[in-house]
Amino acid sequence: MEEVASKVLSTKPTLFSYFRSSASWRVRLVLALKGIEFTYQAVNITKDGGAQQYSEDYAKMNPMNRVPALFIDGKCLGESIAIIEYLEETRPDTRKVFPSDPYLRAKARQLTEIINSGIQPLQNLEVLNKIEDELKGDRKEWAQHFIKKGMNAFEEIIKETRGKYCIGDEVSIADVCLIPQCFAAERFGVDLATFPNIKEIRDSLTGLPEFIAGDLKSQPDYVA
Ligand SMILES: N[C@@H](CCC(=O)N[C@@H](CS)C(=O)NCC(=O)O)C(=O)O
């Protein structure tokens, strides 16, 4: 039994990811920060690429039809924040992404949720397609509105909590969420110059080796 457990634990995890997906990007960053090796399995979520998140096989792994999904320890997990928490709890000897101080941990979670609940779901592909195709709205204007609102709040909060990074001088889950969100903001035409603290932290993070490894350009399915 012990032998089976150690075999499962030693098998490399598989990350189902799309290079541009911000939620997948968060998990890639945490795997890199924690030094966890994994196999990359591309899932093309675009219509032209087959919308593979809707395939029968993938839907069994993540019934929300979203990337990422992580196959790890013989189990499958969806939702990037749940995955990151699982990695933090099951790999206690690896680098922590949640601050140990309860107040700072709550602040890190507050920043995380601004992006995870307050911005990303509103700029997600399925939502934007519905806004444009069915409701005949302007997807860019819609996305910009929620990105600016969330990033304004994020900027205000980090004025108090920041050091080199969002929470003091240690990289945390807030930074992990921020980096892909900055990419999405610029993609939708939001100028980061409006958010000087976010921009400065983004610039400090992007040079770190773990952030280079997790970057969209470093992924096997990257397309310019
Ligand atoms: N809350 C989820 C969000 C996952 C999510 O929205 N993934 C996007 C890419 S970032 C996706 O798969 N979109 C496909 C679609 O909208 O059809 C998480 O954190 O994992």
Side-chain angles (χ1 to χ4, degrees), residues 118-195:
I119 310 179
Q120 192 276 337
L122 295 155
Q123 67 176 34
N124 185 45
L125 188 62
E126 189 179 350
V127 171
L128 296 184
N129 285 345
K130 189 158 179 94
I131 300 279
E132 191 171 75
D133 302 344
E134 290 181 36
L135 304 175
K136 309 298 171 206
D138 182 331
R139 65 197 284 147
K140 191 170 170 190
E141 194 185 321
W142 170 278
Q144 276 190 354
H145 171 82
F146 291 105
I147 292 170
K148 284 181 190 164
K149 184 171 171 64
M151 288 190 105
N152 263 323
F154 201 102
E155 175 77 8
E156 282 308 306
I157 293 162
I158 58 171
K159 283 182 189 164
E160 181 215 328
T161 59
R162 71 164 287 195
K164 216 151 89 183
Y165 307 121
C166 289
I167 309 283
D169 292 335
E170 296 295 326
V171 172
S172 74
I173 187 163
D175 302 298
V176 158
C177 292
L178 180 62
I179 286 298
Q181 186 54 58
C182 286
F183 171 82
E186 289 185 325
R187 188 163 171 246
F188 286 110
V190 174
D191 185 2
L192 289 187
T194 332
F195 311 109

Side-chain angles (χ1 to χ4, degrees), residues 19-20 216 219 221-224:
F19 72 97
R20 208 189 287 122
L216 80 169
Q219 309 316 310
D221 56 338
Y222 172 73
V223 183

Side-chain angles (χ1 to χ4, degrees), residues 18 20-24 26 45 53-54 62 65-68 78-81 116 120-121 124-127:
Y18 177 62
R20 208 189 287 122
S21 149
S22 61
S24 305
R26 297 171 195 161
I45 62 174
Q53 71 276 30
Y54 290 101
N62 190 340
N65 309 109
R66 298 276 192 269
V67 286
E79 290 293 332
S80 62
I81 305 304
N116 183 52
Q120 192 276 337
N124 185 45
L125 188 62
E126 189 179 350
V127 171

